[in-house]
Amino acid sequence: MSDVDLTSEQYEKHREAGRILARVRDEAAERVEVGASHLDVAERAEERIRELGGEPAFPVNISIDHEAAHATPGIDDEATFGEEMVNLDIGVHVDGWLADTAITVDLSGHADLAEASAEALDAALDVVEPGVRTGEIGAEIESVIDGYGYNPVVNLTGHGLGHWQQHVPPNIPNRAVESGVELDVGDVVAIEPFATDGSGKVGEGPTEEIFALERERSVRNRQARQALEQITEEFRTLPFATRWLDVDRAEMAVRRLKQQGVLHGYPVLQEAEGTLVSQKEHTIVVTDDGCEVTTRSR
């Protein structure tokens, strides 16, 4: 038996984050329909997280069609959903202990592409146990997505979840790799297959609405200083959206902080125009006999 105490307060907070997140994800997915507002879906989900006792671990990601990650509505965003493929990626933390989940809501008529990432995630979860290598998990994901006639996105991976850290080792690849690390009891990881009818590689797009603290330093501008105080107190090292800041001229404040190396941005990651990307993600805790999925619907 393992000496990892899965009943500790740390794991209970991971589980509580997962319970909140499962509910919020399911509610948010139901709101995604043609004509609905991106900003309304994102802000209602983020507010719901707080109502249920958690905090958003990062801004709700709403990625459309060829977008794969890091898209979130800007301040006063007026975008609405069309007949598109919509990926919702949502995170929750409880005292810095995290859960991360994603689901594709297909309004585009390509249900099989959404099914490919969902079935790949199921196949990955089936092989998780202590001692499994991350490359073996990737092989399961790749096999399922290939079977649907699509490509896994190979330069996006699942990841470990740390305390106040959204991405820590190990990486969980979306394809077979020779190397890789063994998972151990107590590891908390997010597994997130991406399937696409494109080439299987994403690049950086021209926009970014999500930022995170790079390093603290003194800044002279008043709005930038106020923004930095809120960032360090509320978000610490976790990603945030400009629309979360309670300062005048928030976009200007963020721009100044980025210019001074205080913040780094997360450009939208996307496949080629005209392609589609689907995503499905759960957070798990590795147990003695497999894994516990903390973000499963209840």
Side-chain angles (χ1 to χ4, degrees):
M1 289 291 287
S2 159
D3 59 2
V4 174
D5 181 6
L6 295 178
T7 64
S8 70
E9 185 179 20
Q10 165 189 339
Y11 291 105
E12 280 308 312
K13 288 182 176 179
H14 275 302
R15 289 186 182 97
E16 179 61 19
R19 283 191 289 270
I20 293 167
L21 185 49
R23 190 165 167 185
V24 172
R25 176 200 59 226
D26 293 350
E27 291 175 2
E30 288 182 4
R31 292 198 188 98
V32 175
E33 58 186 14
V34 173
S37 156
H38 291 199
L39 185 59
D40 182 57
V41 168
E43 290 190 331
R44 287 176 70 175
E46 290 160 1
E47 188 54 41
R48 189 76 173 116
I49 289 167
R50 299 183 184 103
E51 285 174 8
L52 293 171
E55 288 289 336
F58 53 85
V60 170
N61 282 208
I62 299 177
S63 302
I64 303 297
D65 286 348
H66 68 296
E67 296 173 341
H70 302 162
T72 197
I75 296 170
D76 300 325
D77 198 308
E78 296 182 351
T80 58
F81 297 106
E83 293 181 350
E84 301 159 327
M85 183 155 282
V86 180
N87 295 334
L88 294 178
D89 193 340
I90 311 175
V92 167
H93 77 85
V94 174
D95 296 334
W97 302 104
L98 289 90
D100 190 354
T101 192
I103 189 170
T104 294
V105 181
D106 179 50
L107 306 177
S108 72
H110 294 82
D112 58 332
L113 182 57
E115 286 168 13
S117 55
E119 190 176 313
L121 178 58
D122 288 342
L125 296 177
D126 282 346
V127 300
V128 172
E129 61 182 1
V132 70
R133 299 190 74 85
T134 53
E136 296 173 54
I137 298 172
E140 293 293 323
I141 290 170
E142 183 176 32
S143 174
V144 169
I145 293 173
D146 280 353
Y148 273 84
Y150 297 117
N151 291 315
V153 175
V154 297
N155 59 339
L156 292 175
T157 66
H159 50 90
L161 294 166
H163 193 217
W164 294 103
Q165 292 181 292
Q166 188 201 351
H167 284 245
V168 299
N171 288 334
I172 313 289
N174 286 319
R175 62 185 172 110
V177 295
E178 285 299 319
S179 56
V181 301
E182 289 188 5
L183 296 186
D184 294 322
V185 174
D187 285 347
V188 180
V189 297
I191 301 177
E192 50 180 327
F194 291 82
T196 180
D197 59 0
S199 68
K201 284 201 171 176
V202 295
E204 292 185 352
T207 60
E208 57 185 22
E209 286 287 346
I210 298 176
F211 302 88
L213 185 66
E214 181 74 29
R215 62 191 175 115
E216 290 187 59
R217 57 182 293 181
S218 60
V219 291
R220 295 176 62 181
N221 177 267
R222 185 170 60 84
Q223 279 102 348
R225 197 163 59 244
Q226 289 174 338
L228 182 57
E229 286 174 10
Q230 182 182 355
I231 291 161
T232 54
E233 285 177 23
E234 285 187 37
F235 318 134
R236 303 198 193 187
T237 55
L238 293 175
F240 66 92
T242 310
R243 57 187 166 79
W244 288 3
L245 296 175
D246 302 321
V247 299
D248 293 333
R249 302 176 71 197
E251 288 163 316
M252 183 275 293
V254 165
R255 196 159 55 245
R256 281 180 181 259
L257 291 171
K258 193 178 173 208
Q259 285 169 349
Q260 295 180 41
V262 176
L263 302 179
H264 65 266
Y266 293 89
V268 173
L269 299 178
Q270 57 191 42
E271 256 278 7
E273 287 270 1
T275 64
L276 298 173
V277 179
S278 73
Q279 177 191 15
K280 187 74 183 288
E281 177 182 22
H282 274 311
T283 296
I284 64 164
V285 180
V286 180
T287 60
D288 286 306
D289 58 356
C291 69
E292 172 188 351
V293 181
T294 67
T295 49
R296 185 160 272 154
S297 300
R298 288 163 175 81

